[in-house]
Amino acid sequence: MTEITISAARAQLGDLVRRAAHSRETIALTDHGHVAALLVSPQVIEDLEDALALADYERRKAEGTLTEGITHEEVGRMLGLRP
């Protein structure tokens, strides 16, 4: 993770955003030596959300608390992709 002060980031914001978006590099913006915010690729967040959802599914499966889901066919009908 790269750290940069907020004041230094102002002049480089476009470059920092591109670095985060394209190389999946996390950029930490610091304020008085403490991390105040992170620039993170949306793909990284999506990957984390997917991993969290999968872990939650596995936990519920192990506990035996899974509820009945919707079949792929039904989802297709709901989206208008199937008759």
Side-chain angles (χ1 to χ4, degrees), residues 4-11 29-31 36:
I4 186 168
T5 64
I6 293 171
S7 57
R10 282 189 185 102
L29 303 178
T30 61
D31 187 28

mmCIF file of all heavy atoms in Angstrom, residues 4-11 29-31 36:
data_model
loop_
_atom_site.group_PDB
_atom_site.id
_atom_site.type_symbol
_atom_site.label_atom_id
_atom_site.label_comp_id
_atom_site.label_asym_id
_atom_site.label_seq_id
_atom_site.Cartn_x
_atom_site.Cartn_y
_atom_site.Cartn_z
ATOM 1 N N ILE A 4 0.383 8.528 0.893
ATOM 2 C CA ILE A 4 0.683 9.871 0.413
ATOM 3 C C ILE A 4 -0.164 10.852 1.219
ATOM 4 O O ILE A 4 -1.311 10.549 1.566
ATOM 5 C CB ILE A 4 0.418 10.001 -1.108
ATOM 6 C CG1 ILE A 4 0.869 11.359 -1.629
ATOM 7 C CG2 ILE A 4 -1.026 9.708 -1.447
ATOM 8 C CD1 ILE A 4 0.902 11.448 -3.145
ATOM 9 N N THR A 5 0.402 11.999 1.525
ATOM 10 C CA THR A 5 -0.356 12.989 2.282
ATOM 11 C C THR A 5 -1.471 13.565 1.412
ATOM 12 O O THR A 5 -1.375 13.594 0.176
ATOM 13 C CB THR A 5 0.542 14.147 2.755
ATOM 14 O OG1 THR A 5 1.044 14.849 1.613
ATOM 15 C CG2 THR A 5 1.694 13.643 3.623
ATOM 16 N N ILE A 6 -2.509 14.012 2.059
ATOM 17 C CA ILE A 6 -3.636 14.595 1.331
ATOM 18 C C ILE A 6 -3.166 15.792 0.519
ATOM 19 O O ILE A 6 -3.554 15.955 -0.645
ATOM 20 C CB ILE A 6 -4.766 15.002 2.299
ATOM 21 C CG1 ILE A 6 -5.384 13.757 2.928
ATOM 22 C CG2 ILE A 6 -5.831 15.832 1.589
ATOM 23 C CD1 ILE A 6 -6.371 14.049 4.053
ATOM 24 N N SER A 7 -2.311 16.625 1.101
ATOM 25 C CA SER A 7 -1.846 17.811 0.380
ATOM 26 C C SER A 7 -1.047 17.433 -0.865
ATOM 27 O O SER A 7 -1.197 18.053 -1.921
ATOM 28 C CB SER A 7 -1.029 18.726 1.296
ATOM 29 O OG SER A 7 0.053 18.019 1.853
ATOM 30 N N ALA A 8 -0.217 16.408 -0.786
ATOM 31 C CA ALA A 8 0.548 15.965 -1.960
ATOM 32 C C ALA A 8 -0.367 15.294 -2.981
ATOM 33 O O ALA A 8 -0.147 15.384 -4.191
ATOM 34 C CB ALA A 8 1.659 15.012 -1.536
ATOM 35 N N ALA A 9 -1.407 14.620 -2.506
ATOM 36 C CA ALA A 9 -2.327 13.912 -3.402
ATOM 37 C C ALA A 9 -3.136 14.870 -4.258
ATOM 38 O O ALA A 9 -3.522 14.515 -5.382
ATOM 39 C CB ALA A 9 -3.261 13.024 -2.588
ATOM 40 N N ARG A 10 -3.377 16.067 -3.772
ATOM 41 C CA ARG A 10 -4.177 17.039 -4.544
ATOM 42 C C ARG A 10 -3.604 17.236 -5.945
ATOM 43 O O ARG A 10 -4.336 17.233 -6.925
ATOM 44 C CB ARG A 10 -4.229 18.377 -3.819
ATOM 45 C CG ARG A 10 -5.188 18.420 -2.691
ATOM 46 C CD ARG A 10 -5.363 19.849 -2.156
ATOM 47 N NE ARG A 10 -6.216 19.819 -0.994
ATOM 48 C CZ ARG A 10 -5.785 19.901 0.259
ATOM 49 N NH1 ARG A 10 -4.504 20.062 0.510
ATOM 50 N NH2 ARG A 10 -6.629 19.847 1.264
ATOM 51 N N ALA A 11 -2.292 17.388 -6.016
ATOM 52 C CA ALA A 11 -1.648 17.659 -7.307
ATOM 53 C C ALA A 11 -1.568 16.424 -8.189
ATOM 54 O O ALA A 11 -1.375 16.528 -9.392
ATOM 55 C CB ALA A 11 -0.246 18.226 -7.074
ATOM 56 N N LEU A 29 -4.417 7.769 1.792
ATOM 57 C CA LEU A 29 -4.273 9.216 1.951
ATOM 58 C C LEU A 29 -4.131 9.502 3.441
ATOM 59 O O LEU A 29 -4.981 9.106 4.244
ATOM 60 C CB LEU A 29 -5.489 9.947 1.387
ATOM 61 C CG LEU A 29 -5.808 9.663 -0.079
ATOM 62 C CD1 LEU A 29 -7.064 10.399 -0.505
ATOM 63 C CD2 LEU A 29 -4.636 10.029 -0.967
ATOM 64 N N THR A 30 -3.029 10.164 3.792
ATOM 65 C CA THR A 30 -2.752 10.410 5.207
ATOM 66 C C THR A 30 -2.981 11.871 5.574
ATOM 67 O O THR A 30 -2.813 12.776 4.758
ATOM 68 C CB THR A 30 -1.308 10.009 5.569
ATOM 69 O OG1 THR A 30 -0.389 10.801 4.804
ATOM 70 C CG2 THR A 30 -1.068 8.530 5.307
ATOM 71 N N ASP A 31 -3.382 12.057 6.810
ATOM 72 C CA ASP A 31 -3.609 13.390 7.367
ATOM 73 C C ASP A 31 -2.911 13.417 8.721
ATOM 74 O O ASP A 31 -3.273 12.649 9.622
ATOM 75 C CB ASP A 31 -5.116 13.634 7.507
ATOM 76 C CG ASP A 31 -5.442 15.050 7.914
ATOM 77 O OD1 ASP A 31 -4.659 15.968 7.595
ATOM 78 O OD2 ASP A 31 -6.501 15.240 8.551
ATOM 79 N N ALA A 36 -6.311 8.508 6.528
ATOM 80 C CA ALA A 36 -7.635 9.121 6.619
ATOM 81 C C ALA A 36 -8.615 8.514 5.622
ATOM 82 O O ALA A 36 -9.817 8.480 5.870
ATOM 83 C CB ALA A 36 -7.520 10.631 6.382
#
